Amino acid sequence: MIKKLIRKILGVRSAEHTPREPVILKAKEHGIDRSLVSPNAIRVTQTLQEAGFKAFIVGGAVRDLLTGVKPKDFDIATNATPEQVKRLFRRAFIIGRRFQIVHVIFGQELLEVTTFRGASDGQVQKDAHGRVLSDNHFGEQHEDAARRDFTVNAMYYDPASETVLDYHNGISDIRRKTLRIIGVPEARYREDPVRMLRVVRFAAKLQFSIDQSTRAPIAVMAPLINNVPAARLFDEMLKLLTSGHAMACLQQLRSAGLHHGILPLLDVVMEQPMGEKFVNLALSNTDDRVRQGKTVSPSFLFAALLWHQVLEKWEAYKAAGEFPIPALHQAADDVLMAQTDALAIQRRIASDMRDIWALQPRFEKRAGKAPYKLLEHQRLRAGYDFLLLRCESGELDPALGAWWTDFMHGDNSEREHLIQQKQRLPSHATGTAEGKSGPARKRKPRKRGPRRSGTEAS
């Protein structure tokens, strides 16, 4: 009686309400194209099954296969413990504190193998807000299904028998294009607040609607995201922005009331006409690259998202009398330091972001040897692409970007001709659309010492 009352208060489903038997879909019913399945994923499940264990492809890979999309990653679920999995594969490594998983590596492909997790109970370590801190309690497959986040991610595919096991009507939700959380939404969001970001990302990526009961608590529970470790939040944000549907994700974030916990001042930036156009172009270009199968630079992406915060502070420092270059470095320091609390941006990424920002005033110098020196910079391409983005958004005169395009692709004589041209574009030291420089700091006259006699002159 007491246990039932506690479960009711905490919003936790009792074990009796957890489906113990799945709906089994055969090949003709689910329609998965086996050729889309990674041979290495099949190899892992086969090796585990031959060793006497259960093993299935699970999660997003099954969801994508059911929608006819070739998955980027394949996760495996098994009743073998992490130690038992590790012993079966030559290149296998146990990682993770919160949840132990095994990384099995085949060449360039990495497969995650997880052991079926058991139902949540009093043994699970949680913080004061209800977020699960450590949970390596193993269990049965039906318990593992109940522990997964959304119904569309809680199906298991066995390549050997070509059957799909569905415990929570996930196939029905896929056909209805609906995202529905498993269990009581409030309790599941408290266990892991990142689920609120994940449902937004999946909705944008899959073009699914979010079930009303799943969406309703998000706006109220959004502050829980502040309790998520910054490193994990950064990883989730990166997945969101490189999903190929970044613009749709940001729109979903704003409509769900989640954006304030991810990129502080994002709304302020996007309310500025120039800033909104710049961010839209950056994200649209990123989406295009993802769809074309090209790589995406996290450094470039975050440099673009935070640029107008840097620009605003840069202008403020110059208005206070600081020289342009030191002012830009101080502005970059301020913005990156502010982001440290919200996103654990890796040191390497932060360094590349600084380089991209620092290159921008150097593109203004198109005389003498300065352009040739800039060609040798290792981050030139990223800085140049960033410059073109600023030109395209209307922040800078497009002629500046065109000049650098000609210079970078020209031969020595063409480059020399460009430098010698008498017609110079106006300086855009401030990076504003008008191209006006901010108030410059006046140089103080140098103090002269006592005049030397002619014999002392060198």
Side-chain angles (χ1 to χ4, degrees):
M1 187 70 179
I2 295 176
K3 286 185 178 180
K4 288 183 178 180
L5 179 61
I6 292 174
R7 290 180 183 277
K8 184 176 181 181
I9 293 173
L10 295 178
V12 180
R13 281 179 150 188
S14 63
E16 290 77 18
H17 290 91
T18 300
R20 299 183 66 89
E21 298 297 329
V23 173
I24 301 177
L25 304 171
K26 296 182 179 180
K28 291 183 179 179
E29 297 172 284
H30 58 67
I32 287 178
D33 182 355
R34 200 168 184 272
S35 66
L36 297 177
V37 182
S38 161
N40 290 322
I42 295 175
R43 178 179 172 182
V44 169
T45 57
Q46 183 178 350
T47 300
L48 285 163
Q49 289 169 356
E50 289 175 351
F53 300 108
K54 295 179 181 179
F56 303 84
I57 295 171
V58 71
V62 181
R63 179 199 67 221
D64 289 346
L65 289 169
L66 288 169
T67 56
V69 176
K70 185 174 183 177
K72 293 176 62 177
D73 303 298
F74 287 85
D75 295 339
I76 313 297
T78 178
N79 62 343
T81 65
E83 291 77 12
Q84 289 171 329
V85 173
K86 187 176 185 300
R87 285 196 290 267
L88 291 173
F89 301 96
R90 184 172 61 86
R91 299 188 65 195
F93 309 91
I94 298 175
I95 67 164
R97 293 182 180 179
R98 183 168 172 265
F99 299 118
Q100 276 194 340
I101 61 177
V102 182
H103 279 175
V104 180
I105 301 173
F106 295 96
Q108 297 297 316
E109 186 175 14
L110 184 151
L111 302 173
E112 286 193 354
V113 182
T114 59
T115 304
F116 294 150
R117 287 177 287 164
S120 297
D121 54 28
Q123 298 177 1
V124 176
Q125 184 183 353
K126 298 182 180 180
D127 66 9
H129 304 280
R131 182 171 65 88
V132 175
L133 299 176
S134 178
D135 181 14
N136 290 307
H137 181 66
F138 305 135
E140 301 296 326
Q141 186 176 32
H142 70 276
E143 295 175 308
D144 184 75
R147 293 293 305 277
R148 296 189 176 271
D149 47 13
F150 307 106
T151 60
V152 299
N153 292 338
M155 289 176 282
Y156 302 77
Y157 175 62
D158 179 7
S161 63
E162 294 193 64
T163 56
V164 169
L165 278 58
D166 182 4
Y167 285 90
H168 296 277
N169 297 317
I171 189 69
S172 175
D173 284 341
I174 282 181
R175 289 167 179 167
R176 292 189 299 118
K177 295 188 175 182
T178 301
L179 285 169
R180 181 167 54 87
I181 202 164
I182 298 172
V184 179
E186 290 84 354
R188 303 309 306 277
Y189 292 146
R190 285 192 180 279
E191 289 175 357
D192 187 2
V194 167
R195 286 173 179 148
M196 291 185 278
L197 300 179
R198 286 167 61 84
V199 72
V200 166
R201 173 161 60 89
F202 291 146
K205 175 183 176 180
L206 302 171
Q207 297 183 344
F208 280 18
S209 61
I210 302 175
D211 176 72
Q212 180 56 31
S213 63
T214 299
R215 174 185 282 274
I218 292 178
V220 177
M221 304 186 75
L224 291 176
I225 292 176
N226 295 326
N227 302 318
V228 176
R232 187 158 179 253
L233 190 59
F234 177 80
D235 289 340
E236 190 60 35
M237 188 62 183
L238 196 56
K239 290 178 183 178
L240 187 148
L241 293 173
T242 57
S243 65
H245 306 273
M247 282 301 302
C249 284
L250 282 187
Q251 291 169 1
Q252 287 273 5
L253 284 174
R254 298 181 75 174
S255 66
L258 287 171
H259 48 289
H260 292 298
I262 302 175
L263 284 176
L265 303 180
L266 181 60
D267 267 0
V268 176
V269 172
M270 298 189 74
E271 284 170 4
Q272 302 172 11
M274 201 66 66
E276 182 175 7
K277 186 175 182 180
F278 183 84
V279 169
N280 287 348
L281 282 170
L283 294 178
S284 295
N285 290 348
T286 299
D287 288 347
D288 289 341
R289 289 186 64 86
V290 172
R291 295 189 189 109
Q292 294 169 17
K294 297 180 179 179
T295 58
V296 174
S297 166
S299 309
F300 186 92
L301 190 52
F302 279 98
L305 287 175
L306 298 176
W307 168 242
H308 277 261
Q309 293 180 34
V310 173
L311 191 57
E312 183 180 355
K313 290 183 177 292
W314 187 18
E315 294 293 336
Y317 278 121
K318 286 192 294 184
E322 185 59 82
F323 289 112
I325 301 304
L328 177 57
H329 288 297
Q330 289 183 50
D333 289 342
D334 289 350
V335 170
L336 288 173
M337 190 172 297
Q339 289 299 323
T340 300
D341 294 334
L343 296 171
I345 298 178
Q346 298 171 11
R347 185 176 299 179
R348 174 183 57 80
I349 292 178
S351 176
D352 290 344
M353 290 167 64
R354 290 176 189 274
D355 285 345
I356 291 171
W357 292 334
L359 281 173
Q360 298 312 300
R362 293 183 63 179
F363 286 111
E364 304 288 344
K365 301 175 181 179
R366 290 169 288 157
K369 297 181 179 179
Y372 291 102
K373 290 182 178 179
L374 195 53
L375 290 179
E376 300 172 0
H377 198 287
Q378 62 178 355
R379 299 295 297 167
L380 172 66
R381 184 68 202 191
Y384 165 73
D385 288 342
F386 200 86
L387 173 72
L388 294 185
L389 199 62
R390 296 174 66 200
C391 293
E392 189 178 356
S393 70
E395 183 183 322
L396 293 177
D397 189 333
L400 180 61
W403 190 94
W404 274 99
T405 299
D406 293 340
F407 186 81
M408 289 176 63
H409 294 94
D411 56 26
N412 289 335
S413 61
E414 291 170 334
R415 290 173 177 173
E416 193 62 31
H417 175 70
L418 285 167
I419 291 177
Q420 291 177 355
Q421 282 181 328
K422 293 183 179 180
Q423 295 181 351
R424 297 284 185 244
L425 295 175
S427 176
H428 301 274
T430 63
T432 60
E434 292 82 1
K436 296 179 181 179
S437 299
R441 182 177 176 180
K442 294 183 179 179
R443 293 181 179 273
K444 295 180 181 180
R446 296 177 63 183
K447 293 183 180 180
R448 293 179 176 274
R451 296 188 64 181
R452 298 177 178 180
S453 64
T455 57
E456 293 175 329
S458 55

